[in-house]
Amino acid sequence: MSIDMTVHAVAPQPDAEAELDRRAAFCREIARSAGAVALDGFRNRTPGFGMKGPQDFLTETDAAVERHLKARIAEAFPEDGFLGEETGGAVKSDVWVVDPIDGTANFARDIPHFCISIAFVRNGEIEIGAIYNPALDEFYFARRGEGATRDGKPISVSKTSDFDAACVEFGWSNRKTNKRYLEVLSNILERGANVRRGASGALGLAYVADGRSDAYAELHMHAWDCLAGLLLVKEAGGVVAPFLSLDGLTKGGAVLAAAPGVAQGISEATGISLEGAR
């Protein structure tokens, strides 16, 4: 996988809002069509899987879903950039950022907790995000400034403020040491929160937006894992860490998303700053 880090200029659109409307409708469509490809692969897969690295799983369906999305985007918006987990791509002013299957370890082991994650970024802002779990037929969608939904119904983050009642998902990354991971895990537990790990960061973020979890944190994530989820959380009333402003699109970085009542405490426990923090 390679990433062209050159940012290519895109000519201004005559009606930028109408163009975003078109991309939003298109995003909904391709998330579901990609979900159909993923679900067929999940139901009819051959036992076994490949490995890209330690605890980094790969299935034939990952590649099939990314091919589908890349081809559809290139056909509909040939001027846009594409950045995918499996094939990399070019970062442009308008770019689609795609994880064909987030939660591949679950997918490979017959656990229906995986999703397609798609984000559209324009000039450094996440404008559109979709996360779709085809196994449960749950569809999360957000448009910047227009709120977040699950299956078309508005969602919002939880009102939890007491850590003794908080449920936090803390993702593991092989890009950080186990020692640091365990330190942060201990910090969260000491505050009284319950900690779990579902092995799909994108769904973990969607669950914060939906009030199913009170916070999600991970010490390092790639853009394709988290951009759609970060938009969902912000549009659902949550608080997030800066990501794109810290060059997360090309380098990845730490991710934190939380309900406002626990955000500061989780930030202190993880050492991950929040947007707007000094």
Side-chain angles (χ1 to χ4, degrees):
M1 183 197 73
S2 63
I3 300 174
D4 179 356
M5 296 176 63
T6 304
V7 177
H8 304 274
V10 174
Q13 298 293 334
D15 189 342
E17 197 64 24
E19 282 297 300
L20 283 175
D21 289 342
R22 191 159 73 94
R23 284 175 170 82
F26 176 72
C27 183
R28 292 177 185 273
E29 177 193 342
I30 62 170
R32 289 197 176 275
S33 63
V37 176
L39 188 59
D40 180 69
F42 184 66
R43 289 172 172 168
N44 300 299
R45 69 195 180 285
T46 302
F49 43 80
M51 302 294 293
K52 294 183 285 184
Q55 296 299 319
D56 193 0
F57 293 76
L58 175 67
T59 70
E60 292 181 0
T61 307
D62 288 86
V65 173
E66 185 154 320
R67 283 195 304 270
H68 172 82
L69 290 169
K70 193 172 186 177
R72 289 293 310 278
I73 291 168
E75 180 183 18
F77 300 100
E79 72 279 12
D80 289 359
F82 179 91
L83 181 61
E85 180 180 16
E86 304 306 328
T87 58
V91 175
K92 298 183 179 182
S93 297
D94 284 356
V95 60
W96 297 84
V97 185
V98 167
D99 192 338
I101 296 181
D102 186 67
T104 304
N106 291 337
F107 180 99
R109 296 181 183 277
D110 201 26
I111 300 170
H113 188 76
F114 62 89
C115 66
I116 292 93
S117 178
I118 305 170
F120 175 72
V121 179
R122 168 166 285 176
N123 296 324
E125 290 278 4
I126 312 168
E127 296 286 354
I128 300 164
I131 292 175
Y132 180 42
N133 179 346
L136 299 182
D137 194 23
E138 289 190 338
F139 189 93
Y140 289 94
F141 188 83
R143 171 92 175 265
R144 187 164 71 96
E146 297 186 4
T149 61
R150 171 165 56 90
D151 299 333
K153 297 179 180 180
I155 56 175
S156 62
V157 297
S158 78
K159 299 184 184 302
T160 303
S161 59
D162 182 354
F163 273 88
D164 287 342
C167 184
V168 175
E169 185 166 350
F170 183 36
W172 175 84
S173 170
N174 60 14
R175 292 172 290 278
K176 297 294 180 179
T177 66
N178 287 339
K179 179 181 179 181
R180 177 62 182 146
Y181 176 83
L182 292 172
E183 286 173 352
V184 174
L185 175 61
S186 179
N187 291 343
I188 297 171
L189 291 170
E190 286 176 1
R191 287 180 177 265
N194 173 42
V195 179
R196 64 187 178 198
R197 177 172 180 259
S200 168
L203 281 176
L205 289 165
Y207 282 12
V208 175
D210 204 6
R212 290 174 167 177
S213 295
D214 301 305
Y216 183 90
E218 190 161 340
L219 298 176
H220 186 280
M221 296 179 79
H222 291 298
W224 45 77
D225 297 314
C226 67
L227 292 190
L230 289 173
L231 180 62
L232 279 164
V233 173
K234 290 181 71 173
E235 290 298 314
V239 184
V240 303
F243 189 81
L244 290 181
S245 63
L246 300 178
D247 207 14
L249 189 58
T250 56
K251 295 182 179 179
V255 167
L256 174 62
V262 299
Q264 185 57 41
I266 292 296
S267 175
E268 293 168 0
T270 59
I272 303 172
S273 298
L274 299 169
E275 278 188 346
R278 295 185 179 180

